[in-house]
């Protein structure tokens, strides 16, 4: 596929995506991007790359191309991408009023004076014509640096409402009355000029892409694809070498599987290709080859764009090329990757435990070292941690016995995937089961409860516990450090009871002191079962931690629409028959509410009793030939599914890791240089 002056080897396009690494972890970033090219992605792009100190995203981990000293960070990634035959793209960004410039301390810039959300520099300056000329110069200089770093493609970025060119386009930010304000031609002028400048500066050898969000999913309050979104595409149709189109804001662009299905942007972006002869790339969490073929054949796009599917499986294109469809590790749409970025740390992935560990631990998503011995490994528990440990050990050639107490594998993933909106999470289990089924040396036994005696009798030299965790029933959690009075009553339940359908009497009070997704999905399930539900939380919002996965607004909206009564900043003080006593977190003021059933969603207790029983008896272990035992996943510390998978993978890699690995700091670190 031709993109201006460059040619992509196939139609798989890794669009710009955040990583939480940015310029802060340059080698981690370079190695990770290189692996994507190795996996067959024709185009591999950076994340947001800030062009000047007036757009300073720190402490967020975006990239910086402020001066020539930044070039090596990009060159390192470009070299690795080129080594594997990919094209390297750099997304040049000025964030305008979205950036508070917390380290550069320079005035944020905007088309018109506007507040931003950061208290340290809470207002952006209205740019005058000199500022606009300067901005164009910075952008041109950054494009030239990008070219010197080895970019084959550079972006002009007007997607999401966190980009200055988008701020100029949107009347709610642009109240100017000069040639950059007022009618659409004026508001789009900056985007046009940036594309023209970039083409003039580097367009002879470097393709110039426009990333443009055609719709803000706000109805008439924002940009709509049927109106100005479409007009902008008409006006600029042939100007960029490539159109990368999506929807805004980020929570709509990177929607989770709980709230959107594969291809969820097609309604808004499909029109673009009809208006331009230039190649078009779209995204929409495409993981199934059938959907990808449909997108190309139906003439919606020329490239399959991917961020998350390329994170979950950097080798997705290669697997499709080789016809290994069932080997694709499909993204489950959980946005744990984004939660890493939003916590200012390198991202992680539920499906792909090697993500983020390419450089610092030398992990490759497809290659594991060959086993170091002929020892058998007994893995206890077939949840995400145990399944990944068994798969990765099997991949290494180890003989593995996987023992699971339940009649179904999958542990919490099997239970949770049955909850409203979480069906795609079953892929964590299913991909691993498919892989394991092909390995004759990995055996799985269901309905096999392993106690101390069974383990000793089994006689494997290595035993790893992946026995999970159990939700507490005493109410202890973030807000309550002691048992909630009345928690032992018979009408008090835990999440497992809701999942097993054991609650049949409402009204139900759900007490959420866990703050993840669980209480919200349980509320949905109970409403679907015809129950009246009140959700009580000491936090300021429902499912507070889902802010990090971009879901919180969607969760709260859904629960309100379902008629769930929401009580925020209220603690559960005591439980009585038919009633609960609530307490305001500020004043302590008490009130009684009616509740026939109460569900406590607070914290989990690791299932490590059998492990502890063994650890207490080294004599018995020695007699049975048991040389190592370990805990992984939720039985080590209750955590995300991503962390459990990571533990399983890490265990499998480290079982016979060489002595030279520092057990205290088991990875390479990126050190700041002293200048
Ligand atoms: P994780 O997220 O750490 O993988 P899960 O709770 O999803 O944890 O899975 C733990 C699995 O271990 C469950 O399927 C559970 O039935 C199983 N399990 C727990 N204790 C035992 C045991 N003693 N013997 C066999 N299986 C067990
Ligand atoms: Fe997909 Fe979840 Fe992995 Fe992100 S963390 S790439 S959403 S599976």
């Amino acid at each position: 596929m031709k993109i201006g002056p460059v040619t992509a080897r196939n139609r798989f396009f890794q669009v710009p995506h955040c990583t939480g690494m940015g310029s802060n972890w340059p080698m981690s970033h370079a190695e990770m991007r290189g692996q994507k090219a190795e996996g067959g992605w024709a185009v591999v792009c950076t994340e947001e790359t800030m062009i000047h100190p007036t757009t300073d995203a720190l402490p967020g981990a975006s990239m910086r191309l402020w001066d020539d000293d930044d070039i090596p960070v990009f060159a390192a990634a470009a070299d690795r991408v080129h080594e594997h035959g990919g094209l390297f793209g750099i997304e040049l960004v000025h964030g305008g009023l979205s950036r508070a410039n917390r380290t550069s301390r320079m005035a944020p810039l905007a088309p018109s004076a506007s507040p931003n959300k950061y208290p340290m520099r809470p207002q952006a300056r209205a740019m005058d014509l000199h500022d606009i000329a300067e901005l164009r110069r910075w952008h041109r200089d950054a494009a030239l640096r990008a070219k010197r770093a080895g970019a084959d493609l550079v972006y002009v970025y007007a997607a999401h409402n966190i980009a200055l060119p988008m701020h100029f386009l949107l009347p709610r930010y642009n109240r100017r009355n000069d040639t950059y304000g007022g009618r659409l031609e004026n508001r789009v002028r900056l985007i046009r000029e940036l594309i023209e400048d970039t083409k003039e500066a580097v367009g002879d050898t470097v393709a110039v892409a426009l990333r443009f969000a055609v719709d803000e999913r706000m109805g008439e309050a924002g940009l709509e694809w049927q109106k100005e979104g479409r007009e902008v595409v008409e006006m600029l149709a042939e100007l960029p070498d490539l159109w990368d189109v999506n929807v805004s804001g980020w929570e709509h662009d990177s929607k989770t599987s709980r709230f959107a299905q594969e291809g969820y942007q097609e309604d808004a972006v499909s029109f673009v290709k009809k208006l331009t002869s230039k190649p078009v790339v779209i995204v929409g969490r495409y993981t199934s080859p059938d959907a990808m073929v449909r997108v190309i054949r139906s003439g919606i796009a020329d490239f399959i764009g991917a961020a998350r599917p390329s994170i979950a499986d950097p080798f997705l294109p290669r697997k499709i090329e080789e016809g290994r469809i069932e080997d694709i590790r499909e993204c489950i749409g959980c946005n744990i990757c984004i939660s890493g970025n939003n916590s200012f740390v390198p991202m992680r992935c539920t499906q792909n435990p090697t993500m983020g560990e390419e450089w610092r631990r030398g992990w490759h998503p497809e290659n594991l070292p060959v086993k170091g011995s002929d020892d058998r490994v007994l893995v206890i528990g077939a949840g995400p941690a145990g399944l990944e440990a068994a798969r990765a050990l099997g991949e290494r050639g180890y003989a593995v016995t996987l023992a699971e107490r339940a009649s179904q594998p999958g542990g919490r993933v099997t239970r949770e995937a049955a909850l409203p909106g979480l069906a795609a999470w079953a892929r964590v289990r299913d991909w691993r089961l498919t892989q394991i089924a092909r390995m004759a040396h990995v055996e799985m036994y269901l309905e096999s409860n392993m106690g101390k005696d069974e383990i000793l009798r089994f006689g494997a030299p290595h035993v790893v516990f992946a026995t999970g965790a159990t939700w507490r029933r005493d109410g202890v959690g973030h807000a309550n450090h002691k048992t909630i009075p009345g928690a032992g009553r018979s009408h008090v339940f835990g999440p497992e009871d809701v999942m097993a359908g054991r609650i049949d009497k409402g009204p139900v009070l759900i007490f959420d002191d866990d703050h993840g997704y669980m209480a919200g999905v349980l509320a949905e399930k109970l409403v679907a079962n015809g129950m009246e539900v009140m959700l009580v939380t000491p936090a300021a919002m429902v499912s507070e931690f889902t802010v990090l996965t971009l879901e919180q607004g969607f969760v709260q909206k859904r629960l309100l629409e379902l008629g769930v009564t929401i009580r925020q900043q209220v603690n559960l003080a005591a439980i009585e028959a038919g009633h609960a006593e609530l307490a305001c977190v500020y004043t302590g003021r008490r009130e009684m509410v009616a509740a026939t059933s109460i569900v406590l969603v607070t914290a989990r207790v690791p299932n490590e009793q059998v492990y502890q029983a063994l650890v207490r008896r080294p004599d018995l272990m020695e007699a049975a030939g048991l040389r190592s035992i370990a805990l992984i996943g939720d039985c080590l510390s209750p955590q995300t599914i991503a962390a459990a998978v990571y533990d399983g993978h890490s265990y499998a890699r480290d079982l016979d890791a060489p002595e030279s690995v520092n057990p205290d700091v088991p990875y390479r670190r990126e050190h700041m240089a002293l200048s």
Side-chain angles (χ1 to χ4, degrees):
M1 288 295 302
K2 288 282 285 176
I3 312 174
V6 301
T7 304
R9 62 182 156 171
N10 61 37
R11 293 176 186 268
F12 293 103
F13 194 117
Q14 183 247 275
V15 296
H17 69 73
C18 284
T19 62
M21 298 170 187
S23 293
N24 298 354
W25 282 273
M27 293 314 298
S28 300
H29 175 261
E31 197 66 33
M32 181 271 295
R33 299 290 186 200
Q35 282 190 1
K36 304 260 197 103
E38 186 190 352
W41 297 91
V43 185
V44 177
C45 300
T46 64
E47 60 195 281
E48 282 190 316
T49 296
M50 300 294 161
I51 61 169
H52 188 263
T54 52
T55 177
D56 171 16
L58 285 163
S62 60
M63 302 195 81
R64 292 179 293 281
L65 198 41
W66 291 355
D67 62 27
D68 289 0
D69 289 346
D70 289 318
I71 291 177
V73 169
F74 294 84
D79 288 350
R80 281 166 174 76
V81 170
H82 290 156
E83 211 175 287
H84 295 290
L87 296 175
F88 182 59
I90 297 182
E91 185 184 54
L92 301 179
V93 175
H94 197 296
L97 65 90
S98 314
R99 299 296 168 209
N101 304 336
R102 280 175 279 186
T103 67
S104 76
R105 303 177 71 171
M106 296 169 92
L109 299 175
S112 306
S114 313
N116 67 33
K117 59 182 177 179
Y118 302 105
M120 285 171 88
R121 191 110 208 196
Q123 206 158 324
R125 161 188 166 71
M127 294 169 75
D128 60 24
L129 292 180
H130 173 73
D131 293 324
I132 294 176
E134 284 293 90
L135 169 77
R136 291 176 62 185
R137 182 173 66 80
W138 303 331
H139 200 279
R140 203 181 302 113
D141 288 350
L144 287 166
R145 285 188 200 106
K147 180 177 172 174
R148 280 170 55 203
D152 306 289
L153 184 143
V154 294
Y155 268 83
V156 171
Y157 180 73
H160 304 162
N161 52 10
I162 54 163
L164 185 54
M166 201 63 162
H167 299 151
F168 270 81
L169 180 67
L170 299 171
R172 69 177 183 276
Y173 299 122
N174 183 344
R175 296 179 298 278
R176 303 174 74 96
N177 48 23
D178 62 2
T179 53
Y180 287 92
R183 59 200 173 91
L184 183 61
E185 286 79 357
N186 287 349
R187 284 182 280 117
V188 89
R189 188 178 308 280
L190 184 62
I191 300 179
R192 180 191 291 281
E193 287 174 344
L194 291 177
I195 300 171
E196 286 169 351
D197 292 346
T198 311
K199 286 191 89 164
E200 194 188 305
V202 299
D204 52 340
T205 56
V206 178
V208 178
L210 174 63
R211 184 156 232 223
F212 177 54
V214 296
D215 196 291
E216 293 189 280
R217 303 293 203 202
M218 293 164 67
E220 287 183 356
L223 187 69
E224 292 177 280
W225 70 265
Q226 304 94 329
K227 297 179 184 168
E228 287 198 341
R230 183 185 181 92
E231 285 177 60
V232 170
V233 179
E234 279 168 351
M235 290 163 81
L236 304 177
E238 298 301 310
L239 201 55
D241 294 320
L242 174 126
W243 281 89
D244 175 346
V245 284
N246 63 353
V247 297
S248 180
W250 193 14
E251 70 280 17
H252 292 288
D253 190 18
S254 290
K255 235 172 171 171
T256 57
S257 56
R258 186 172 168 193
F259 295 99
Q261 298 305 310
E262 184 175 23
Y264 56 90
Q265 304 202 12
E266 286 177 22
D267 64 304
V269 299
S270 296
F271 77 91
V272 175
K273 204 171 140 45
K274 297 192 187 81
L275 301 182
T276 176
S277 68
K278 304 292 177 167
V280 173
V281 54
I282 65 170
V283 292
R285 219 179 55 246
Y286 290 106
T287 57
S288 97
D290 285 346
M292 296 177 196
V293 170
R294 179 181 52 72
V295 163
I296 302 296
R297 292 242 169 95
S298 61
I300 302 174
D302 302 284
F303 284 100
I304 302 298
R308 290 170 294 174
S310 77
I311 294 168
D313 197 338
F315 276 63
L316 184 148
R318 189 79 89 71
K319 289 174 183 174
I320 292 178
E321 268 165 26
E322 293 171 3
R324 296 193 290 128
I325 307 301
E326 69 286 357
D327 285 342
I328 298 172
R329 204 169 32 224
E330 287 184 273
C331 168
I332 68 167
C334 61
N335 281 4
I336 286 296
C337 46
I338 290 171
S339 76
N341 179 78
N342 287 347
S343 309
F344 309 155
V345 293
M347 66 175 163
R348 61 254 9 244
C349 170
T350 302
Q351 276 285 55
N352 176 12
T354 65
M355 179 47 59
E357 300 295 354
E358 299 83 355
W359 180 83
R360 68 174 200 170
R361 299 194 72 174
W363 288 1
H364 188 281
E366 301 300 307
N367 304 332
L368 284 110
V370 172
K371 65 177 178 174
S373 76
D374 289 330
D375 290 347
R376 175 168 285 276
V377 185
L378 172 63
V379 180
I380 303 173
L387 283 171
E388 176 60 15
R391 179 203 75 84
L393 286 164
E395 195 80 37
R396 297 192 59 196
Y398 276 102
V400 180
T401 301
L402 176 57
E404 165 57 51
R405 178 166 58 199
S407 56
Q408 300 282 327
R412 63 181 286 199
V413 163
T414 296
R415 290 191 296 276
E416 294 179 22
L419 291 168
L422 305 188
W425 293 16
R427 293 171 178 178
V428 173
R429 172 198 66 203
D430 296 342
W431 182 76
R432 289 170 176 81
L433 287 176
T434 308
Q435 300 296 310
I436 287 171
R438 294 212 203 109
M439 301 174 189
H441 52 291
V442 179
E443 299 163 341
M444 181 168 70
Y445 295 94
L446 299 173
E447 297 176 342
S448 301
N449 187 24
M450 301 298 284
K452 177 166 113 303
D453 296 339
E454 288 80 9
I455 293 166
L456 292 170
R457 222 176 299 131
F458 187 80
H462 306 287
V463 175
V464 56
F465 288 82
T467 45
T470 308
W471 285 94
R472 302 185 74 113
R473 302 301 167 88
D474 55 7
V476 171
H478 290 89
N480 300 294
H481 303 288
K482 288 194 205 140
T483 300
I484 295 176
R489 289 174 178 269
S490 61
H491 67 298
V492 180
F493 300 91
E496 289 97 344
D497 298 311
V498 184
M499 294 186 231
R502 282 194 280 269
I503 299 181
D504 53 10
K505 285 197 205 76
V508 184
L509 185 153
I510 300 178
F511 178 58
D512 180 16
D513 196 20
D514 161 66
H515 311 300
Y517 55 88
M518 183 56 75
V521 286
L522 294 181
E524 280 189 53
K525 182 176 163 68
L526 289 167
V527 171
N529 292 353
M531 235 79 72
E532 194 185 312
V533 177
M534 173 185 279
L535 193 149
V536 173
T537 177
M541 54 180 92
V542 166
S543 300
E544 190 174 41
F545 293 172
T546 63
V547 166
L548 294 175
T549 52
L550 310 177
E551 294 173 289
Q552 199 282 327
F554 299 126
V555 175
Q556 190 124 2
K557 177 170 186 277
R558 182 171 285 178
L559 296 189
L560 288 168
E561 285 174 353
L562 288 172
V564 173
T565 305
I566 295 173
R567 297 295 313 276
Q568 290 151 192
Q569 297 173 317
V570 175
N571 199 357
L572 178 59
I575 298 167
E576 292 167 24
H579 286 91
E581 191 172 8
L582 308 183
C584 169
V585 296
Y586 297 112
T587 63
R589 198 175 295 134
R590 303 279 176 126
E591 66 178 300
M592 295 295 276
V593 292
T596 305
S597 305
I598 292 181
V599 181
L600 300 176
V601 187
T602 60
R604 289 177 287 157
V605 183
N607 300 330
E608 56 172 332
Q609 302 81 348
V610 183
Y611 169 88
Q612 294 298 351
L614 272 174
V615 169
R616 280 195 292 272
R617 295 302 304 267
D619 53 327
L620 296 182
M621 289 205 296
E622 196 181 338
L626 207 174
R627 299 205 302 279
S628 80
I629 62 169
L631 294 165
I632 57 172
D634 290 331
C635 67
L636 178 63
S637 74
Q639 50 194 318
T640 59
I641 297 168
V645 170
Y646 179 86
D647 273 5
H649 192 84
S650 194
Y651 173 83
R653 292 222 182 220
D654 292 348
L655 183 61
D656 50 18
E659 293 298 317
S660 60
V661 172
N662 176 353
D664 293 330
V665 187
Y667 51 81
R668 280 201 281 180
R669 291 158 69 203
E670 303 212 30
H671 292 282
M672 298 248 179
L674 296 177
S675 55

